[in-house]
Amino acid sequence: MILRDRPHERHTESEESLSKSAQSTRTTILVLDGTNTLSFAAAVDPLRAANRQAGKTLFDWHFATPTAAPVALTSGIEIPARALQGIDRTDLLIVVAGFDLEAQCTPQLMASLRRLARGDTFVAGIDGGPWVMAKAGLLDGHRATTHWEDLESFATYFSQIQVKNARYVVSDRRLTSGGAAPAIEMMLHLIGTQYGTTLARKIAGSFIFDPRAAPQTPQSRVGGLPHDATTARAHALMEAALETPRPLSQIAKALRLSPRSLQQHFARRLGTTPQAHYLSLRLTEAERLVRDTQMAIQDVAVMTGFTSQSSFARAFRTHAGQSASALRRAAHQ
């Protein structure tokens, strides 16, 4: 079966999307070593649910790996598969990846991706998957997103891509998302455009999943917060100035509010103060830098707006329940 494009009217930006069809969609799920287990499930389980809800095989899916060897998810679960090189053709290729991508993006894997992505094939990337797609040149000239932790480096490294801070992005035959929750939304979108929104809603209901967030909604370092328009704009201003925190009076002025009104918005909507919310954003980023990079602890403090190492140490321990050095040792054991 060949998937064909049609305009999709739900989004403001033009895009191509998958068409409806009663035939099964040949689907290849490329899984790289070190893939996050939840991201893997976000790719696979909506397909399983689609087949179950429809009572027939809508997605005929199979796993593939960079080589003939099995790969291990972050939970230790092994995914037995065959090398992508041995697959002749596919209608839909989903790339799910996590850590240590550079070492796994071999010339052989890149060539296989380019070969399978030709013609009418749709390619979707989840978590680190967009990075793998970009490395193979599959996103050149397209709009795309990736996990918020990598957005800045992704945009710098792949200047030929229109990088968007969004939950997921559809651009012609290319679909990209950040982490697991946006991946579910992207998969529901894909299923809905291919086999109808009624089926997609049934799947969302079976997952007890509420997919009301718009695709273009920016990803956030602190997820799941019930923002209103005012707190969301304040949040974005805070996120853009973690290294040199802006005074709250300045943020309020940018929003054409009084400081007191800004306080009231945060208290009513989020049950906290803007000061506490801003600090949480900075410490969440500090925790990520400690856990996932080799940056010196002193530099982490500076990068997240702390001029005093002692105040950083106290705030970090309160936030993470342990010191920054202890967290780094535990993360690299």
Side-chain angles (χ1 to χ4, degrees):
M1 184 196 99
I2 296 178
L3 302 174
R4 303 195 183 279
D5 314 323
R6 66 176 175 81
H8 191 257
E9 298 176 354
R10 195 177 92 188
H11 307 301
T12 55
E13 294 183 88
S14 64
E15 62 183 43
E16 292 182 72
S17 57
L18 302 178
S19 65
K20 297 180 181 179
S21 171
Q23 302 177 50
S24 63
T25 301
R26 293 170 300 185
T27 303
T28 301
I29 304 172
L30 173 64
V31 187
L32 271 65
D33 204 52
T35 290
N36 182 285
T37 306
L38 198 57
S39 295
F40 170 79
V44 177
D45 226 40
L47 304 182
R48 176 204 59 77
N51 291 350
R52 176 176 174 273
Q53 291 284 351
K56 58 184 177 181
T57 303
L58 299 182
F59 292 92
D60 182 15
W61 49 270
H62 303 276
F63 297 133
T65 50
T67 68
V71 297
L73 305 182
T74 51
S75 61
I77 295 174
E78 279 201 348
I79 305 300
R82 58 175 173 148
L84 190 69
Q85 184 182 20
I87 295 175
D88 293 330
R89 54 189 298 201
T90 191
D91 299 317
L92 171 63
L93 174 60
I94 303 173
V95 184
V96 196
F99 299 98
D100 300 322
L101 302 180
E102 188 70 42
Q104 298 183 74
C105 288
T106 62
Q108 184 181 69
L109 180 64
M110 298 295 98
S112 295
L113 284 169
R114 287 189 287 268
R115 173 177 57 81
L116 289 171
R118 292 173 187 156
D120 290 336
T121 300
F122 282 74
V123 187
I126 295 172
D127 205 349
W131 198 94
V132 178
M133 292 169 63
K135 189 77 172 173
L138 304 186
L139 294 176
D140 289 0
H142 286 276
R143 304 183 308 278
T145 192
T146 189
H147 194 282
W148 66 261
E149 293 181 350
D150 303 315
L151 275 171
E152 186 174 346
S153 58
F154 188 78
T156 301
Y157 198 91
F158 301 109
S159 58
Q160 66 276 36
I161 299 172
Q162 301 173 47
V163 179
K164 305 288 185 181
N165 180 6
R167 296 181 67 79
Y168 71 88
V169 172
V170 180
S171 179
D172 299 330
R173 296 178 179 86
R174 303 293 181 257
L175 299 87
T176 52
S177 77
I184 295 175
E185 296 162 16
M186 183 184 75
M187 294 302 294
L188 290 173
H189 164 86
L190 187 152
I191 292 166
T193 53
Q194 172 67 358
Y195 296 107
T197 56
T198 299
L199 177 61
R201 284 196 296 268
K202 286 181 179 178
I203 295 168
S206 69
F207 289 167
I208 319 179
F209 180 77
D210 185 357
R212 285 183 294 182
Q216 64 270 22
T217 301
Q219 297 178 55
S220 168
R221 290 172 171 82
V222 180
L225 297 175
H227 283 290
D228 62 14
T230 298
T231 60
R233 290 197 299 271
H235 178 99
L237 291 172
M238 293 172 182
E239 276 202 322
L242 297 181
E243 184 174 355
T244 308
R246 299 176 66 173
L248 290 178
S249 58
Q250 191 180 106
I251 292 175
K253 184 177 180 180
L255 300 176
R256 297 183 179 180
L257 296 171
S258 68
R260 178 175 174 77
S261 180
L262 182 63
Q263 295 275 358
Q264 290 172 338
H265 270 280
F266 271 82
R268 181 172 58 250
R269 192 69 183 184
L270 304 181
T272 188
T273 65
Q275 294 94 328
H277 186 78
Y278 206 166
L279 180 60
S280 179
L281 281 177
R282 292 161 57 201
L283 289 168
T284 297
E285 173 65 356
E287 185 176 354
R288 183 189 74 83
L289 292 172
V290 168
R291 185 182 62 248
D292 297 340
T293 77
Q294 296 300 319
M295 185 182 295
I297 301 298
Q298 296 90 333
D299 293 338
V300 170
V302 172
M303 287 290 293
T304 51
F306 289 89
T307 56
S308 165
Q309 291 295 322
S310 59
S311 63
F312 171 75
R314 287 193 300 271
F316 191 94
R317 184 181 290 275
T318 300
H319 171 81
Q322 59 185 320
S323 68
S325 56
L327 177 62
R328 175 162 287 173
R329 285 194 300 271
H332 292 87
Q333 284 180 350

